[in-house]
Amino acid sequence: MDTETMILGKTFSNQSLSLSFEDNDSVSFQTKNTLYVLKGRSKYEIDNGRIIIKSPYGKKT
């Protein structure tokens, strides 16, 4: 099974960051437990099994 199939439609989270892979080229993210919550959406690519998030800009809430 390839990496894209394994992550598509899933959310991965830890104490400071949540990543939701909603479709095959974009991911939504949200910081947690920080002074300012940052939410946004970004493009990503998979290179040799590594997920590279490109230009992760978002809005402070």
Side-chain angles (χ1 to χ4, degrees), residues 27-31 36-42 53-61:
V27 59
S28 62
F29 59 89
Q30 179 176 340
T31 59
Y36 297 103
V37 174
L38 183 65
K39 291 180 170 184
R41 198 168 166 91
S42 181
I53 298 175
K54 300 176 163 193
S55 303
Y57 297 105
K59 296 180 182 178
K60 288 183 185 177
T61 59

Side-chain angles (χ1 to χ4, degrees), residues 16-47:
S16 60
L17 181 65
S18 177
L19 297 172
S20 296
F21 292 87
E22 297 167 350
D23 54 46
N24 61 356
D25 71 344
S26 65
V27 59
S28 62
F29 59 89
Q30 179 176 340
T31 59
K32 302 186 300 185
N33 298 330
T34 59
L35 183 58
Y36 297 103
V37 174
L38 183 65
K39 291 180 170 184
R41 198 168 166 91
S42 181
K43 297 288 184 186
Y44 73 91
E45 67 180 34
I46 298 174
D47 180 24

